[in-house]
Amino acid sequence: MTSELAHDSLSTWPEQKRAELLAYLHGLYKGVFTEEAIQFHLDVHVGFDFADHALSRILPTARPGERLFDIGSGFGSFVLAARAGGLDARGIEISEFETGIARWRLRRLRPQDDADFVFRTDDARSLDLPPASVDIVTLWNVLEHVDAYDTVLAAVHRLLRPGGRVFVICPNYCAWRLEAHYHVPWTPWLALLPRSAVARHIRDKGLDPCFFQTSIFRRTNWGVLSALKRLGFQLFNLDNNWPMDVGQGGFRTFRKRPRRFLNFWNPFRPTVELAARKI
């Protein structure tokens, strides 16, 4: 974390602002998160743990001043980190409350920036931005919360300039893992069952399935990869920018790093993680 971002640690927030944030999170994740999970969310996603990690994946291939749009920017942590890292980063978020917190944070850290311009309450599918006007788009744990996610990816394709990149992380629901929000045991077969059956599975664990029924959509590794391929994106490993399309340099990756290549295409990997370039 840079010294600039250290001034925005939660311990420096006014007590009333912290209380508003906690009340919002408890309401949003009622019956989903334990108190320990709420604290983890504060540390990792409102703090800068995840933001710093995600930015480290982007900076090796980014140029200073590149225009970045973070879709689903939440409380603004990643955009704040990216701006501190030299990128022209902006955030799009549907929640007005979260956008308000993000603007408040930016005004504290960088009063020279126009917070209302940097953070917008909007839907990425209806942005009034010119086509091919963005260098980088990020989708950090967003696609699992969007119905008809292929329309979001189509909007991303429209926004990106040729050669622009999109970076994606989201849970793979065709996997053996703990569900990302409820932290209940999950198997690939639950990706195929009707939503009502999965809701019963969650209720049987003593949790409220309402959040699942309204806000979680079961994305899969192959589903996301296929959607990006249909749009004409070239796929890359998120860690080191190795090409992963067999016809576009991926065969070389397969020969040199077969395990990495197979893990990228593994339908059961716990998390969807990738970079993709608009051709």
Side-chain angles (χ1 to χ4, degrees), residues 103-272:
R103 288 172 175 167
W104 174 79
R105 298 174 77 183
L106 182 60
R107 291 187 185 108
R108 294 178 80 217
L109 289 178
R110 300 171 63 99
Q112 72 274 21
D113 292 351
D114 184 345
D116 293 336
F117 177 74
V118 172
F119 290 107
R120 297 174 55 174
T121 303
D122 212 334
D123 188 319
R125 291 167 287 197
S126 57
L127 282 175
D128 56 347
L129 294 174
S133 60
V134 177
D135 299 299
I136 301 169
V137 173
T138 52
L139 291 160
W140 304 130
N141 296 302
V142 169
L143 294 182
E144 73 273 22
H145 297 301
V146 182
D147 195 8
Y149 74 109
D150 52 330
T151 61
V152 174
L153 295 178
V156 168
H157 189 272
R158 184 188 73 84
L159 286 175
L160 284 172
R161 64 169 176 78
R165 290 93 70 208
V166 58
F167 296 84
V168 177
I169 291 178
C170 73
N172 177 21
Y173 279 86
C174 183
W176 287 271
R177 55 168 296 162
L178 294 180
E179 198 281 324
H181 306 84
Y182 289 90
H183 300 109
V184 298
W186 193 270
T187 70
W189 327 123
L190 289 168
L192 305 175
L193 293 177
R195 294 181 71 82
S196 58
V198 179
R200 286 195 299 272
H201 171 71
I202 293 171
R203 189 179 294 109
D204 289 344
K205 301 297 181 182
L207 300 168
D208 185 347
C210 182
F211 185 77
F212 170 80
Q213 292 171 309
T214 60
S215 303
I216 296 177
F217 301 90
R218 292 164 287 177
R219 303 295 163 236
T220 67
N221 193 43
W222 278 11
V224 174
L225 295 178
S226 298
L228 288 165
K229 287 286 289 178
R230 287 194 298 271
L231 288 166
F233 281 100
Q234 183 181 7
L235 305 178
F236 292 86
N237 185 290
L238 186 58
D239 287 323
N240 43 37
N241 210 38
W242 289 336
M244 290 292 168
D245 288 328
V246 173
Q248 297 173 318
F251 184 67
R252 195 161 54 249
T253 300
F254 176 70
R255 289 176 58 194
K256 293 183 177 180
R257 298 287 190 276
R259 288 186 180 180
R260 291 290 184 94
F261 185 90
L262 294 174
N263 182 59
F264 183 87
W265 289 98
N266 178 7
F268 305 114
R269 67 186 302 198
T271 307
V272 181

